Amino acid sequence: MMRLLILGGTTEASLLAQHVATRTDLTPLLSLAGRTRHPATPPIPFRMGGFGGVDGLIRFLVENAIDLVVDATHPFAAQMTRHAAMACSALNLPLAIFTRPEWIPEEGDRWTRVGDMQAAVAALGPDPRRVFLTIGGLQLAAFAAAPWHHYVIRAIEPPQAAAGLPHHDVILARGPYRLADEVSLMRDASIDSLVTKNSGGTPTGAKLHAARMLGIEVVMIDRPPIATGRRFDTLEAVTGWIDDHRATP
Ligand SMILES: NC(=O)c1ccc[n+]([C@@H]2O[C@H](COP(=O)([O-])OP(=O)(O)OC[C@H]3O[C@@H](n4cnc5c(N)ncnc54)[C@H](OP(=O)(O)O)[C@@H]3O)[C@@H](O)[C@H]2O)c1
């Protein structure tokens, strides 16, 4: 039976895990980085923690006799994606990337597109602003370089780096978010600017719609470039790819 490794930590990986849990023709294994302290229990066997770089991943793939890999990590998890590409290429294993399509600006949007977190901080400018940060907890430290803004930080778990920001509020929440709630949140907090990564997808997309409705400026951090490879953005397409490989091992 084909052994499938899913690199996860995303809605896409959960969707795929739910799908393969119902199949008897695959032996799936989900890999999580272990960043979330209390992840929902996956419906398929899983392991947690880094592999130990490319060499560690190659070892893992061999020891676990993996036949094919779906990289369903977050579009900003560039290192894991790079490592997966290198390890699969070294072992000649089929690899697919399953990722959500990125957001594209629509009529009425006020986006400033930037390449990284430092550029996002700079884009907020020298005048104090009320900034809604929806970038997760790990990269908050960059905003300590602009302590004159007031930050409203939304994260899944209490972000330690928030302590470095003199003026901030923390909202602990996990998507999906409703448009009406996003509008109320941004209006009640008198938000001037929204900072977000271009993660894409619908569960967290309502904030962009809300910003458009309220005329709020968006600082949009573009995705890091990824190595070329087979990319799919729907469950149907990626399961079709898995089926093709099952038919011709
Ligand atoms: N970056 C984001 O904005 C974001 C948002 C939501 C969810 N996530 C999820 O959070 C996890 C970590 O993201 P990141 O941006 O820190 O990744 P990253 O920078 O690309 O990866 C850093 C290291 O974490 C380990 N790792 C990452 N994903 C892994 C996985 N699925 N299974 C096992 N090890 C993994 C690997 O360690 P070794 O080198 O030791 O193998 C990797 O080299 C990913 O699973 C990603 O899908 C990330």
Side-chain angles (χ1 to χ4, degrees), residues 40-59:
T41 306
I44 57 172
F46 68 100
R47 46 98 43 213
M48 247 197 258
F51 299 100
V54 181
D55 292 345
L57 179 55
I58 290 176
R59 245 189 332 272

Side-chain angles (χ1 to χ4, degrees), residues 8-9 31-33 35 47 49-53 73-74 77-80 197:
S31 176
L32 301 170
R35 301 279 193 279
R47 46 98 43 213
F51 299 100
T73 55
H74 191 270
Q79 180 165 305
M80 188 67 249
K197 297 176 186 174

Side-chain angles (χ1 to χ4, degrees), residues 11 37 43 83 100 118 153 156 168 174 225:
T11 313
R37 252 165 285 164
H83 288 184
R100 54 194 108 167
Q118 280 67 34
I153 301 159
I156 293 175
H168 74 267
R174 188 192 289 266

Side-chain angles (χ1 to χ4, degrees), residues 109-153:
D109 277 331
R110 296 174 54 213
W111 284 17
T112 302
R113 299 183 80 146
V114 296
D116 58 28
M117 213 51 81
Q118 280 67 34
V121 177
L124 293 174
D127 299 324
R129 303 177 73 80
R130 292 185 60 84
V131 181
F132 186 24
L133 286 184
T134 62
I135 55 162
L138 296 178
Q139 291 175 286
L140 285 178
F143 291 86
W148 50 90
H149 302 301
H150 184 103
Y151 296 103
V152 177
I153 301 159

